[in-house]
């Protein structure tokens, strides 16, 4: 299949590599050309704009920061719709606003181009391993057409409804994950202040009711070893939880913990941690309590 991939960041570069490994022809684009170097060395072709990617492809995948970038890349002057032909498919893997995506899909449909949303969960390690969870929204036929491509990147792929509903599921997931992340930080802070061994504490918690991927995979690979280089940036989490809590207001659903989690992200950005990994939520707690919440390792 002739595929295009736009947005080659922490997630996109690894997902695009798996698409290439599955044997598809791949054309790529990112505002940072350097992000495509490894993929080009493995056989991907570079195109100079989203429009040129669309001209070379039947299906275009997007992994962009959020609604603003997706709108520009699809509808912009040199965007996908300027280069796409009737029958093409756009798969948005970004975490996006359901309503923005529905609007983009309606414009695309007028040109005979189908848009579906397939936001992901599983982090850069899941993207690399091809084991992502994917929440798909869109037309049933378009979903079936997208499946062989999605299966190159993900393991648990669920069609949850019409276009936009994949993102609705993703925003719910992001909000829950962020609440868990901050709740775990609070518990680990108490353990650290009590002088407990973080390795033993997290090992035993990981076998109890508080277990989650965030405790078992995320914290040990990032914050707990002092690695705050972004796997998932605070700015992106802020974008997700902001969209989720806005959706809550629109639907009349109170989201007490979601809004608390959002304010923590506002604080992290105000402290200058926007570009760091989300596990940087440990840093202000460490500063306040004058204690390290860490498992010693090579990064320390
Ligand atoms: P990232 O910031 O690492 O990557 C985004 C990429 O898009 C960058 O390479 C950037 O240069 C490129 N880009 C920005 N604007 C562009 C434009 N106009 N045209 C072309 N390229 C452009 O982000 P990421 O962590 O890879 O996340 C990508 C998406 O996946 C986001 O929507 C994020 O919320 C979601 N997501 C991330 C994770 C994670 O753990 N990192 C997990 C699940 C979902």
């Amino acid at each position: 299949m002739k595929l295009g991939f736009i947005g080659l960041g922490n997630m996109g570069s690894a997902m695009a590599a798996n698409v290439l490994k599955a044997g598809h022809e791949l054309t790529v684009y990112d505002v940072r050309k350097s992000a495509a170097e490894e993929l080009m060395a493995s056989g991907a072709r570079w195109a100079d704009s989203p429009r040129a990617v669309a001209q070379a492809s039947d299906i275009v995948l997007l992994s962009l920061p959020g609604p603003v970038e997706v709108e520009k890349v699809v509808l912009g002057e040199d965007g996908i719709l300027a280069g796409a032909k009737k029958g093409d498919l756009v798969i948005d893997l970004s975490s996006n606003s359901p309503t923005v995506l529905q609007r983009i899909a309606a414009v695309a449909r007028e040109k005979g181009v189908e848009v579906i949303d397939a936001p992901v969960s599983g982090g850069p390690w899941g993207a690399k391993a091809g084991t992502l969870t994917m929440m798909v929204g869109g037309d049933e036929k378009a979903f079936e057409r997208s499946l062989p491509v999605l299966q190159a990147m993900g393991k648990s792929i669920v069609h949850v409804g019409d276009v936009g509903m994949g993102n609705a599921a993703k925003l719910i997931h992001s909000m829950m994950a962020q609440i868990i992340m901050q709740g775990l930080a609070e518990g680990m802070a108490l353990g650290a202040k009590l002088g407990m061994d973080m390795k033993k504490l997290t090992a035993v918690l990981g076998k109890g009711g508080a277990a989650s991927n965030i405790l078992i995979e995320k914290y040990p690979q990032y914050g707990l070893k002092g690695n705050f280089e972004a796997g998932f940036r605070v700015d992106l989490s802020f974008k997700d939880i902001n969209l989720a809590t806005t959706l809550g207001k629109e639907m009349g659903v109170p989201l007490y913990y979601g809004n608390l989690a959002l304010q923590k992200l506002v604080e992290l950005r105000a402290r200058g941690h926007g570009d760091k990994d989300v596990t940087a939520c440990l840093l202000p707690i460490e500063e306040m309590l004058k204690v390290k919440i860490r498992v010693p390792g090579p990064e320390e």
Side-chain angles (χ1 to χ4, degrees):
M1 244 186 278
K2 284 184 178 175
L3 302 183
F5 209 113
I6 301 176
L8 308 168
N10 288 317
M11 299 297 284
S13 56
M15 288 192 275
N18 282 332
V19 164
L20 203 56
K21 259 189 240 155
H24 300 290
E25 254 183 68
L26 189 66
T27 306
V28 295
Y29 172 75
D30 191 291
V31 281
R32 300 174 300 125
K33 191 170 180 181
S34 58
E37 274 165 15
E38 267 186 46
L39 289 163
M40 288 196 289
S42 310
R45 272 192 309 250
W46 172 259
D48 276 326
S49 65
R51 174 196 196 135
V53 172
Q55 281 166 342
S57 320
D58 299 322
I59 298 181
V60 181
L61 299 138
L62 312 177
S63 178
L64 293 162
V68 175
E69 293 81 7
V70 173
E71 181 152 13
K72 188 172 170 216
V73 162
V74 181
L75 304 182
E77 205 182 315
D78 240 353
I80 291 172
L81 286 190
K85 56 195 179 305
K86 203 168 180 241
D88 283 355
L89 174 65
V90 175
I91 305 175
D92 185 16
L93 304 160
S94 328
S95 307
N96 201 341
S97 148
T99 46
V100 169
L101 198 76
Q102 284 160 351
R103 185 163 46 77
I104 292 172
V107 177
R109 201 165 290 141
E110 281 171 21
K111 289 197 140 198
V113 175
E114 200 64 41
V115 177
I116 66 171
D117 49 333
V120 306
S121 169
W125 65 91
K128 211 168 173 186
T131 56
L132 291 169
T133 295
M134 309 180 109
M135 299 149 247
V136 191
D139 171 78
E140 185 78 45
K141 276 198 187 126
F143 169 64
E144 278 163 23
R145 186 174 165 205
S146 73
L147 256 183
V149 181
L150 299 182
Q151 280 162 345
M153 301 176 283
K155 210 169 167 192
S156 308
I157 303 166
V158 182
H159 185 214
V160 292
D162 290 337
V163 68
M165 288 304 106
N167 271 298
K170 170 65 189 174
L171 295 182
I172 293 167
H173 176 274
S174 292
M175 184 181 72
M176 288 175 165
Q178 191 49 227
I179 293 168
I180 292 167
M181 180 159 297
Q182 293 181 17
L184 289 171
E186 231 169 68
M188 290 191 293
L190 183 56
K193 194 70 183 172
L194 287 163
M196 296 181 81
D197 178 327
M198 278 300 114
K199 199 165 185 177
K200 287 185 182 165
L201 181 63
T202 51
V204 75
L205 294 178
K207 299 288 179 204
S212 66
N213 277 345
I214 296 170
L215 180 68
I216 296 164
E217 302 268 3
K218 182 74 191 179
Y219 270 118
Q221 291 185 39
Y222 289 90
L224 278 179
K225 61 176 184 183
N227 170 21
F228 297 106
E229 197 178 310
F232 183 43
R233 287 187 287 126
V234 167
D235 282 344
L236 289 180
S237 183
F238 169 78
K239 174 236 359 177
D240 284 4
I241 315 308
N242 200 22
L243 287 170
T245 50
T246 302
L247 207 54
K249 275 177 250 171
E250 284 167 10
M251 300 306 294
V253 177
L255 300 172
Y256 301 104
Y257 298 107
N259 278 287
L260 256 182
L262 177 67
Q263 293 312 312
K264 278 283 180 192
L265 292 164
V266 171
E267 180 192 334
L268 286 176
R269 296 178 95 207
R271 286 177 180 268
H273 299 317
D275 257 345
K276 294 200 177 84
D277 187 70
V278 272
T279 54
C281 65
L282 295 178
L283 294 173
I285 308 178
E286 287 186 336
E287 196 185 316
M288 174 175 70
L289 299 177
K290 304 198 173 21
V291 71
K292 288 280 182 197
I293 309 169
R294 304 285 167 91
V295 171
E299 313 256 344
E300 281 278 82

